Amino acid sequence: MKQAIFLYNPRSGKGRIACDTERILAEFRACGYAIEAQAIDFAANPFDGNETIDLLVAAGGDGTVNFVVNAMKRKGLDIPVGVIPAGTANDFAGALGMSREPLEAARQIAAGRIARVDCGCVNDLWFVNIFSFGLFTTTSQRTPDERKHRIGKLAYILEGVKELRTLHALPLEIEADGRRFGLDALIVLIFNGETAGGFRLARRSSIDDGLFDCLLMERRSLLASLWAMGRYLLGGRPRSIRHLRARRLDIRTPADEPTDVDGQRGPRFPLRATCCAGSLRVVRPAQRP
């Protein structure tokens, strides 16, 4: 019998996942899994004592998935991860094709297929969806959980608007796959997936192409910058937003700027970000005949 752990974050979303736990476990047991539920403890490694399990099912948002992946990589394990979306944005779960309904997502995992997808690594921290810094990029870290639960993705927008009062650019030196250049950037987004906070920003990105998609927004006036953001979100290609694809980036700046990995606190500069092709085993919905 296959062994599994169901790790859930009771604070994700509106806390409803705890109410679905027994029904989720029943779905896996019906498919031949011996599975136990475990509430997440961010101070402990969920793989301690579980090094030989066949599957870890994580229910939560992107921060929960990020925690699971980093905990597994620290132990040098390669255990398949199934994701049940239970957070606010659930960007990585969306990239995997998971249903937003927890019981249906559980069924997809229980009957799914194991696949390999890319994973990003920056200064020894792993990320599944996005690494970022600059304007708006630490919004998720500062947005209170209560506000996320109450108004969803709108909470990110309201919190992000506050950053306009401190609009500033970062002088960067960048090397992308051997190409060197400099720019003053307001925002840098390094995508493994397509979306951030539920918004589709990296239109050509994929979690299994071995490349990052990077968006770098150069400094303009406040109004010009807001206009460029709006144009990009509506499908335009403003010249102040540079797009590049790369496997590895080295980034330096004299500034002491916070960074973000999947909505969690990221590493300090200087930075080395690498797209590690096929380095994460996940469970995706079974292919349709």
Side-chain angles (χ1 to χ4, degrees), residues 4 11 13 26 63 75 92 104 121 139 160 173 176 206 208 222 253 257 263 266 269 281 286:
R11 293 182 59 83
K75 292 186 74 71
F92 186 62
E104 178 57 28
C121 185
T139 296
E173 294 179 6
S206 169
D208 55 11
L222 175 59
T253 181
E257 187 77 9
F269 287 89
R281 284 205 295 167

Side-chain angles (χ1 to χ4, degrees), residues 9-288:
N9 186 349
R11 293 182 59 83
S12 290
K14 297 182 179 180
R16 291 177 297 196
I17 196 66
C19 300
D20 291 328
T21 296
E22 288 304 318
R23 287 184 293 172
I24 289 171
L25 295 178
E27 293 290 342
F28 284 96
R29 288 168 181 157
C31 290
Y33 281 93
I35 186 168
E36 299 297 331
Q38 180 178 322
I40 198 166
D41 178 359
F42 289 103
N45 191 317
F47 293 96
D48 286 345
N50 295 317
E51 292 87 351
T52 61
I53 59 174
D54 300 290
L55 173 68
L56 188 137
V57 181
D62 293 312
T64 298
V65 178
N66 179 279
F67 169 76
V68 166
V69 170
N70 276 277
M72 181 170 62
K73 294 293 186 181
R74 283 196 301 272
K75 292 186 74 71
L77 301 174
D78 189 28
I79 294 169
V81 175
V83 181
I84 295 178
T88 302
N90 305 304
D91 293 303
F92 186 62
L96 293 177
M98 305 308 301
S99 169
R100 295 186 65 86
E101 200 283 309
L103 283 178
E104 178 57 28
R107 295 184 192 107
Q108 289 176 322
I109 297 169
R113 59 187 175 92
I114 294 176
R116 285 200 173 271
V117 298
D118 305 338
C119 201
C121 185
V122 55
N123 292 18
D124 297 323
L125 279 179
W126 295 82
F127 63 98
V128 293
N129 189 61
I130 183 172
F131 169 68
S132 60
F133 56 91
L135 189 66
F136 303 141
T137 57
T138 57
T139 296
S140 179
Q141 296 176 33
R142 300 189 318 276
T143 305
D145 286 340
E146 293 76 12
R147 192 178 302 163
K148 294 179 190 178
H149 298 166
R150 190 169 64 252
I151 59 176
K153 289 185 289 186
L154 180 59
Y156 295 134
I157 297 174
L158 295 178
E159 189 67 29
V161 167
K162 298 177 184 178
E163 292 199 21
L164 293 174
R165 296 174 297 183
T166 59
L167 184 70
H168 65 284
L170 292 173
L172 301 178
E173 294 179 6
I174 300 174
E175 181 175 344
D177 289 347
R179 296 168 291 161
R180 296 184 180 183
F181 60 94
L183 81 161
D184 292 339
L186 288 175
I187 307 171
V188 174
L189 305 172
I190 300 174
F191 285 91
N192 184 43
E194 286 188 354
T195 61
F199 298 96
R200 187 168 178 260
L201 300 176
R203 299 165 189 148
R204 294 191 298 161
S205 186
S206 169
I207 56 174
D208 55 11
D209 61 0
L211 292 170
F212 289 136
D213 279 70
C214 311
L215 298 179
L216 304 95
M217 183 172 182
E218 298 185 72
R219 179 176 173 82
R220 297 289 189 271
S221 69
L222 175 59
L223 287 178
S225 297
L226 291 175
W227 175 250
M229 290 179 200
R231 280 189 61 201
Y232 186 84
L233 289 172
L234 292 172
R237 295 183 177 182
R239 284 187 292 179
S240 60
I241 297 181
R242 184 184 301 193
H243 174 264
L244 62 90
R245 309 189 84 204
R247 288 181 174 83
R248 196 180 84 182
L249 298 105
D250 291 280
I251 307 174
R252 295 179 177 272
T253 181
D256 184 17
E257 187 77 9
T259 68
D260 184 282
V261 286
D262 293 333
Q264 312 302 306
R265 183 178 298 177
R268 305 286 289 272
F269 287 89
L271 304 167
R272 170 166 288 183
T274 305
C275 183
C276 301
S279 61
L280 181 64
R281 284 205 295 167
V282 296
V283 182
R284 306 188 76 165
Q287 294 176 320
R288 294 179 181 177

